[in-house]
Amino acid sequence: DSSLPIFLSWRILLSGLMGIVSGIPLMLTGGLLQAYLKEEGIDLSTIGLVSLLGLPYTLKFLWAPLLDRPLPLGRRKGWLFVFQIGLIVSILTFSIFRPGSSLRASMLCALSISFFSASQDIVIDAYRRETLKDRELGLGSSYYIYGYRLGMLISGAGGLILADRIDFGNVYLLMALCILPFTILTLLVKEPEPPKLSLSMKESFLSPFKELWEREGIISLGLFVITYKIGDNLAANMTIPYLLQLGFSKTDIGVLAKFIGFWATLLGTFLGGLILLKVEYRRALISFGILQAISTLFFTLLLFTQPSKVALSLVIGFENLSSGMGTSGLAAFMAKATDRRFTATQYALFSSLMGIPRVITSSPAGYMAEMLGWGKFFLLSTLLAIPGLVLLFLRGSRRWT
């Protein structure tokens, strides 16, 4: 492993493989489930409630302390194996029921899929933090995000394509089988060295939060995690309505925005990881944040070039490139900011904080765009990048971690 280039090392590649098994369950309770419910004749108001199945991903820090306690198979391998078996059983059980005739049972199975998926994410994030060196966290996070997107592609787009050819129940059966090889991988990988720490159950739940609370600058650290991508998230919520109003066709958006955006995000994620190998975290995050802000402002240029496909390609490409860099940088920073004794709990808390902007910007985004107009809306989104950057300038990641 040490003789290979760092981007081919087993530790880094393993981050990507674990990303795949993290991404697969997500769409099983998201887009694929919504399509299944629609086919079964479930009303739209009920389909809309599917978004509530995402709550375990937001609340996972509540039971994360339990996962910092050891199991016979190991603190990380043991829990990971348990949750992957739970996922397989839940998906197989879901495949037996039909939502049209057993909606309550189907939704309970879907909730269990979401719970085991969120819990698996906790352990995988902790495993990545504990097996990678600090300088490798950026690239490891990039590979994880790659794998995550591939997993989502398998269950999302792949699941929908399969559903045109076989019954939805069989699609879910195949998705359960896709997770099976990763349970074997879990048994084969090396267990990270456990910390020399023995805590009671009560201490397991209190100590991770106590360590954070007593840390210098913890309030500004939490605010930074929340605000770093808030402007980027606000703009992303209204991108498609904006482009449609400018006169771009749905085909333009699907082919240019989504295709170019997908590859630009992957490139940005990889570049962010590479840069973090060479550049100190604070400087890298400031650079990524500035690029994110500029790329958001560039959306206003489309007001003067509409509807130019070349301009759309450039703006979307730049926005997704910088967003990918920012995402991989923030993920690596959050991992670095955890105490290795409480990795699962603290990273789960940080990732929950990172998800707050997506929740708080989704509802008012349309109202704000309508009230301000598109130009001022994207200007506001750009300005919202400033608080996170100011916190970085004032504190600096070295004092936080």
Side-chain angles (χ1 to χ4, degrees):
D1 189 81
S2 59
S3 62
L4 290 172
I6 189 169
F7 51 84
L8 291 178
S9 75
W10 172 241
R11 291 192 306 276
I12 299 292
L13 293 175
L14 187 57
S15 295
L17 290 173
M18 288 189 168
I20 296 174
V21 74
S22 277
I24 290 174
L26 185 65
M27 299 308 291
L28 300 183
T29 56
L32 188 66
L33 177 58
Q34 290 176 331
Y36 190 10
L37 295 178
K38 185 72 172 67
E39 185 177 277
E40 289 284 298
I42 305 300
D43 61 273
L44 291 177
S45 59
T46 302
I47 294 175
L49 294 175
V50 165
S51 61
L52 293 176
L53 293 173
L55 279 176
Y57 294 96
T58 305
L59 302 175
K60 60 186 179 181
F61 67 91
L62 294 176
W63 62 91
L66 182 64
L67 312 189
D68 272 326
R69 298 185 66 81
L71 289 181
L73 192 58
R75 191 167 75 132
R76 298 305 173 216
K77 290 176 59 172
W79 284 112
L80 193 52
F81 184 75
V82 166
F83 293 137
Q84 287 171 347
I85 294 298
L87 267 174
I88 292 171
V89 171
S90 297
I91 298 168
L92 287 175
T93 307
F94 180 88
S95 71
I96 297 170
F97 297 104
R98 295 192 70 92
S101 56
S102 307
L103 182 60
R104 182 174 295 181
S106 295
M107 290 301 97
L108 284 174
C109 289
L111 183 60
S112 68
I113 293 171
S114 184
F115 169 77
F116 286 120
S117 175
S119 301
Q120 177 188 235
D121 289 353
I122 297 171
V123 184
I124 287 176
D125 289 334
Y127 186 90
R128 188 172 70 252
R129 169 63 175 118
E130 292 167 3
T131 55
L132 297 178
K133 301 172 183 176
D134 283 355
R135 65 184 294 266
E136 297 173 334
L137 286 171
L139 198 57
S141 297
S142 300
Y143 275 54
Y144 173 79
I145 294 169
Y146 281 167
Y148 200 82
R149 287 181 172 271
L150 178 57
M152 290 172 62
L153 200 62
I154 291 169
S155 58
L160 288 172
I161 292 168
L162 284 170
D164 262 342
R165 293 158 177 79
I166 60 176
D167 180 80
F168 263 107
N170 289 326
V171 173
Y172 276 82
L173 174 62
L174 287 174
M175 294 303 156
L177 294 177
C178 285
I179 294 175
L180 187 58
F182 294 96
T183 64
I184 299 170
L185 178 65
T186 295
L187 296 174
L188 295 175
V189 297
K190 182 181 178 182
E191 172 71 18
E193 186 72 26
K196 294 180 174 64
L197 185 69
S198 179
L199 298 175
S200 67
M201 181 66 76
K202 180 181 177 181
E203 289 170 331
S204 294
F205 277 82
L206 295 179
S207 297
F209 301 103
K210 184 173 182 288
E211 191 279 330
L212 281 175
W213 185 250
E214 293 175 347
R215 194 183 299 184
E216 181 188 359
I218 186 57
I219 300 298
S220 59
L221 169 58
L223 289 173
F224 166 72
V225 172
I226 293 171
T227 59
Y228 185 66
K229 289 183 71 68
I230 193 168
D232 194 47
N233 285 319
L234 179 63
N237 279 319
M238 297 305 297
T239 298
I240 290 179
Y242 173 59
L243 297 179
L244 288 170
Q245 189 168 320
L246 288 181
F248 291 103
S249 70
K250 290 186 282 292
T251 300
D252 291 336
I253 297 170
V255 174
L256 295 174
K258 295 301 181 184
F259 181 78
I260 292 174
F262 175 78
W263 289 107
T265 300
L266 292 187
L267 177 60
T269 303
F270 184 67
L271 284 176
L274 283 181
I275 290 170
L276 286 170
L277 284 173
K278 303 292 184 183
V279 179
E280 187 261 326
Y281 273 71
R282 178 172 175 269
R283 290 173 54 198
L285 285 168
I286 289 173
S287 301
F288 299 162
I290 291 172
L291 287 174
Q292 282 182 161
I294 294 172
S295 70
T296 299
L297 186 62
F298 271 24
F299 273 98
T300 60
L301 297 179
L302 296 176
L303 290 168
F304 309 103
T305 60
Q306 55 175 308
S308 165
K309 294 180 182 179
V310 174
L312 175 62
S313 301
L314 292 173
V315 170
I316 290 292
F318 180 34
E319 195 278 332
N320 282 272
L321 181 78
S322 60
S323 181
M325 295 168 75
T327 299
S328 65
L330 183 57
F333 169 80
M334 292 190 306
K336 189 171 184 288
T338 61
D339 186 312
R340 284 183 178 270
R341 296 172 298 171
F342 317 113
T343 311
T345 304
Q346 292 183 351
Y347 193 94
L349 178 61
F350 288 144
S351 60
S352 294
L353 291 176
M354 185 178 69
I356 288 175
R358 287 195 299 272
V359 176
I360 64 175
T361 61
S362 58
S363 297
Y367 172 77
M368 293 166 68
E370 194 173 62
M371 182 179 67
L372 297 172
W374 288 117
K376 291 180 180 178
F377 172 78
F378 284 108
L379 177 60
L380 173 64
S381 299
T382 302
L383 294 176
L384 284 174
I386 293 176
L389 292 173
V390 169
L391 287 167
L392 265 180
F393 274 112
L394 293 179
R395 298 294 305 186
S397 63
R398 272 183 288 189
R399 295 185 66 184
W400 279 330
T401 58

